Amino acid sequence: MLSDYNLSDDDSRSSYDMAFQVQGDGPRKKRTQNENYNMCSVSVEPLKEKGVPRSLCDLIANMLDCANGTLRKDETYQDMSEVRDDLQLMLDKPSIYLHDQDMGRLSYTGLQIGDTLFGRNAELSTIKEAYRRTVAGDNELDCELAPSKQKLAHQVNNVLGREAHHLAKLIPNLATILGMESNSIIHDEGCTNAQNRLQHLLCRFVEVISSTFAAPVTLCLDDLQWADSASIAAVDQLLLTGGIASQHAKFFFLGCYREGETDNCNPLWKTLCNNDLVNARSTNVKLDCMDEETLTTMVSETLCLLPRLTRSLSSIIYHKTKGNPLFVSQLMISLGKEGLLRPSLSRRRWEWDKEKIQCQKLPDDVAIFFTNSIEALSEDVKASLCVLSCFGSSAETDFIKTLERLLKKTLLSNLDAAVEEGLLDKKYGWYHFSHDRIQEAAYNMITILDQGRFHFSYGMALAPLADGAGEGDDSILLIAANQLNLAGPEAVQEKKQNVTVANLNLQAGKKAMEMSDFVLAYSYFDNGISFLRKKHWEEHYRLSLELFDLAARCALTNGGIVSLKLLSEQVIAYARSYEDKLNVLYLVTCSLAFSSKLPESIEKGLDILANLGIDLQESRNTEACIQETTTLLSTRTDDEILNTRQMTDPTMIMAMKFLGKLGSSMTMIMPRSVPFVTQKMIELSLAKGMSPMSPIGFVYYGSYTAKLGDISEGYHHVKLAVSLLDKVGLRESAGEVICIATQVKIFVEPIQAALEYHDDGYAASMVTGDVFYALLNTMLRRGCMNVAGVNLQTMREEYDTFERLVKTKKYNHSLILVHAKLIQRDVLTLVGSDEEVTIPEEQKLIASNNSVLKFFCFRKAYINFMFRSYDDAKEYVSKFYDCRENAWASLLATHINTAFYTGLISFWVARKSRDAQCWFARGNESKLTLKIWAESSQWTFENKWYLLEAEESFTNNDFEAAKSFYKQAISSAKLHKFVHEEALAYELAAYFYLELGEMEQSMEYFLAAHEKYHEWGALGKCNSLVEFVKSSFSQASSTVTTSLLHA
């Protein structure tokens, strides 16, 4: 019917003319008083009888009233444009503005606020665009829209392996998909940091899901201002993985938080301030209160009345609520309940008392408004809402039934009444407060004194169920503990209740540890300790020891060094035996190592081992120690070693943990002591049985042996160490073992293979929560990329990513970061970037740590050599040799570059220095080292050895031999894909021919070097080379020089 009219006509005829047109009269003519009288008798009732919608009849009636001069204030049309607007709304939204409402039903149900979002189109578009960016990508994903459970299970098992059971503990449906029985899920396993392990597994799980399904994995979390640090840390890790992981992994995160309720101590605040660290693009969407026009639309569509008719009501509501959406909806519901906004059966529409609503006094704070709304309820309903508020924002119906039975109170029917009032929602077997402010209002109605009393009574009522809970009742355990902890120790009325609550917190803390939430676990243990009475060490020793031990472990995991110190002091003071102190002593030793206090960590570890009767006998000769270990191992075959029985003595197992930590620390600052540690670990493993730490002893022995020159023997034992990982059961040391073993393997296998090995080492470290070796695997992987000559732009991005990764982890990892950033600084120089690289604590670490000093001197010597700064290269390589003796005990990829480039610099200095003999000897030492390594791995070392031979021949004036070796170095580097060393060989050969005066040959090699450096991405080096050629060649060679410049 309406579609027959042209609503776009811009005719602005008067209401008078319009009225005549509607009645169907002929040409317009001047009205008379009598004609006005006749119009008053016109009625729209015949239209209603013919089924014309009520809203259209009302519109016509209003037009007639305008013509008659019968004005209805807010309902009066002012001009034709208002009529067109109303008719257009009826066309656009007929279900709202045209069709009749069932006012009989509304008079029974009351006003219903729908789920429509008003005034949020811009915000929704922003979110949709962010989602579109996540879905979009340069690669097409080869994914099924609905893969089977079997395929998903296969993918999860393939990626996570046996570690999937850790996630299955948190995601029961995953256990079903994977076909895991509940009794097959391991609930207790040694782990350096289970929270980091869980974060890593979650990230891998997201990668599996996103690569299996076409859509990205989407996570939406509300009320983030109340999120705990463990949840925020998990989100951080997911964002980090989404930013730096495989381009096939798509992850979209939508988080909502209330502004003004986050400070710089809130974990969410740290994420908001450091979102650049995760390399994930973020979009901030601020949701303000509704403006008056939006609120008018909301009121209009809720009441199914045209905006023109509801504007007076919406104006009042706006000024009372300031457009707060929650306040608006609750106020409208309240007005409906009070009869101020009501359905009219006679008019078949909503009507309201404008003056009474205007006079109604409302609080400025929405929380007070909710409090008043709750106060209006019956006492029973109010009491039930207060009970529910003590348990948070929601509770399961079955739990409410349990609570009803235990407290002997009627709850369900009262909560259902609150649902009818709009204060609660009931969905899927859960009661939810309609908004967190309603829950706050209900809880704040309880006095402070009663809050503690209520929480304690609820907790004690639930305690019997929690104490005897089976696998399916873990939630009761945590709820009971939470209630008792909210009450606090002051709520205890009987002495025996202290022990009950402490025990309950102990069990809750263990359960939280199983879920890898160490922050929550620490809070349970800490609360359990707070409930213990005086003389608890004497009266409840085992309970006290276990609470303090586990709290200390959580403190270390969470980075709470001060808390760890206080807890360990208590255990050390009150433990009844030295064995009872070992757990906290080990944690203290670890904390010192994690804090880069390696000398203190080593000293404490040696003291503890001495108390256990283990003497490393470091007064012996190192070579004799190594020979003794070699002799001991020669008495066993590999199969015999792999099948050695498991260690069962708890004290010896702890001793092996101390030895493992000692070996890791000594390898960095006391390398000559490492053989004594590895010997003792191997001795104990063969005599007492294999422990989870045993592979560490074998891998460090292999690494040290390889560094001494026996690559084959070292390679054999690091492979044996990796094989032992599966034999000892737990893979607690897997990340460390793979890390050290890989660095030896690259001296036998092509160095490019090391990249995959270190990826495995990173994954193994994260599975056990070992952040240090996860980062070390990552750093050494990039070191291998550097040696392998990976494109410098890729290296630049890799080191940027690594820096972000380090900054997301706890503890002081400055030792790892400084090594990475020193290489990053050289990469930026080579690519020609002016970007500054600042290294925190650089000078402090250089002054206090010999390995950092040595590496710093080498990097300085290297970069000055690459840019042909002779004096600086000589100065820093001299400093490098001064501190070389105290190098790491392990054989590392960095030793390849240090041996190679210090040899090249030494031959360079020998040709120019008066002290030629000393420098020639140093260069020759490097050449022989590379020659030995080339016998183990021709692929990685042959070209380097040839180039050192060429430089030695050049220094000895054996020019024909030099020419041959330069060609062989270039050919070998090209064959084995070392583009950076191919460029270097061309460049050094060019200097050689320049020295001989063979200008054309020299220029040819400079051109080739320039091409290869450019291919490597070393644009800064290319520019430097051009400048050298310009200044070194005469005009006779200008044509060739111009070619180089154009290249």
Side-chain angles (χ1 to χ4, degrees), residues 316-333:
I316 298 172
I317 294 175
Y318 177 77
H319 287 93
K320 287 183 175 293
T321 64
K322 309 304 181 191
N324 182 309
L326 175 64
F327 206 166
V328 170
S329 59
Q330 292 299 318
L331 175 59
M332 291 183 68
I333 291 173

Side-chain angles (χ1 to χ4, degrees), residues 639-650:
D639 285 341
E640 288 174 335
I641 292 173
L642 291 172
N643 292 302
T644 302
R645 61 187 174 85
Q646 297 291 308
M647 187 177 288
T648 56
D649 185 342

Side-chain angles (χ1 to χ4, degrees), residues 668-939:
M668 289 184 269
I669 63 172
M670 296 173 59
R672 295 190 66 81
S673 297
V674 172
F676 301 102
V677 175
T678 59
Q679 181 190 33
K680 186 58 66 175
M681 294 186 76
I682 292 171
E683 282 181 356
L684 290 174
S685 297
L686 297 180
K688 304 288 186 178
M690 292 291 172
S691 84
M693 295 294 108
S694 294
I696 292 179
F698 284 88
V699 80
Y700 277 110
Y701 170 75
S703 181
Y704 198 88
T705 303
K707 190 180 179 188
L708 291 178
D710 194 342
I711 300 290
S712 177
E713 185 70 11
Y715 181 63
H716 170 79
H717 282 97
V718 299
K719 289 200 300 181
L720 180 63
V722 173
S723 298
L724 272 172
L725 288 173
D726 292 325
K727 290 291 183 178
V728 296
L730 301 181
R731 292 174 61 87
E732 187 175 346
S733 60
E736 182 176 358
V737 171
I738 294 173
C739 180
I740 303 302
T742 299
Q743 291 291 293
V744 175
K745 287 181 178 182
I746 62 177
F747 287 82
V748 179
E749 305 171 16
I751 193 169
Q752 290 83 351
L755 306 184
E756 182 178 345
Y757 293 148
H758 277 306
D759 286 340
D760 294 340
Y762 172 82
S765 299
M766 292 306 296
V767 161
T768 61
D770 190 342
V771 174
F772 177 81
Y773 275 97
L775 293 176
L776 189 58
N777 269 289
T778 306
M779 186 191 78
L780 292 176
R781 180 185 189 276
R782 282 154 177 77
C784 291
M785 294 172 69
N786 182 253
V787 174
V790 172
N791 183 272
L792 287 175
Q793 185 56 42
T794 301
M795 292 299 302
R796 182 179 185 176
E797 295 169 359
E798 286 281 338
Y799 278 107
D800 288 343
T801 298
F802 180 72
E803 182 178 0
R804 288 192 293 270
L805 183 65
V806 173
K807 289 181 178 179
T808 62
K809 304 302 179 184
K810 296 177 182 176
Y811 300 113
N812 182 2
H813 296 299
S814 55
L815 194 62
I816 288 179
L817 186 60
V818 72
H819 279 82
K821 289 181 78 68
L822 285 170
I823 300 179
Q824 182 185 29
R825 182 183 285 168
D826 290 347
V827 169
L828 292 172
T829 303
L830 287 167
V831 301
S833 171
D834 295 329
E835 183 181 339
E836 291 289 331
V837 176
T838 57
I839 304 177
E841 303 183 30
E842 178 179 14
Q843 295 305 316
K844 178 182 176 182
L845 286 168
I846 289 172
S848 62
N849 191 297
N850 190 73
S851 68
V852 175
L853 172 61
K854 178 193 170 201
F855 194 65
F856 170 80
C857 292
F858 167 72
R859 297 312 306 183
K860 281 289 189 180
Y862 163 80
I863 202 65
N864 281 293
F865 169 74
M866 291 299 295
F867 285 89
R868 308 305 288 178
S869 177
Y870 173 80
D871 291 335
D872 290 333
K874 179 181 177 182
E875 175 189 352
Y876 282 107
V877 81
S878 297
K879 292 179 178 178
F880 168 83
Y881 279 115
D882 290 341
C883 59
R884 186 176 60 157
E885 290 305 314
N886 292 322
W888 276 37
S890 301
L891 188 62
L892 303 172
T894 55
H895 295 146
I896 300 173
N897 273 350
T898 54
F900 180 46
Y901 286 99
T902 56
L904 293 174
I905 296 170
S906 294
F907 285 129
W908 186 27
V909 175
R911 293 194 295 271
K912 299 169 70 75
S913 171
R914 294 179 180 179
D915 191 14
Q917 186 175 356
C918 172
W919 287 103
F920 184 86
R922 288 173 173 173
N924 186 61
E925 179 187 358
S926 291
K927 185 202 73 172
L928 292 176
T929 298
L930 267 297
K931 183 179 180 181
I932 293 172
W933 291 346
E935 292 172 358
S936 296
S937 176
Q938 180 182 355
W939 179 283

Side-chain angles (χ1 to χ4, degrees), residues 35 74 107 175 192 254 304 345 355 380 389 419 459 546 643 693 704 762 859 962 987:
E35 288 169 335
D74 299 329
S107 64
T192 305
L254 178 63
C304 296
L345 295 179
E355 288 75 16
D380 288 343
S389 71
V419 171
E546 196 168 7
N643 292 302
M693 295 294 108
Y704 198 88
Y762 172 82
R859 297 312 306 183
E987 181 186 6

Side-chain angles (χ1 to χ4, degrees), residues 179-199:
M180 290 183 176
E181 298 293 336
S182 59
N183 56 9
S184 70
I185 298 178
I186 303 171
H187 291 282
D188 187 21
E189 180 177 331
C191 180
T192 305
N193 187 330
Q195 185 172 326
N196 282 310
R197 173 187 65 192
L198 180 62
Q199 291 171 10

Side-chain angles (χ1 to χ4, degrees), residues 59 62 74-77 82 86 306-312:
L59 180 145
N62 283 339
D74 299 329
E75 298 185 10
T76 301
Y77 283 116
E82 292 185 352
D86 286 355
L306 294 163
R308 177 179 55 84
L309 304 177
T310 62
R311 189 164 280 111
S312 61

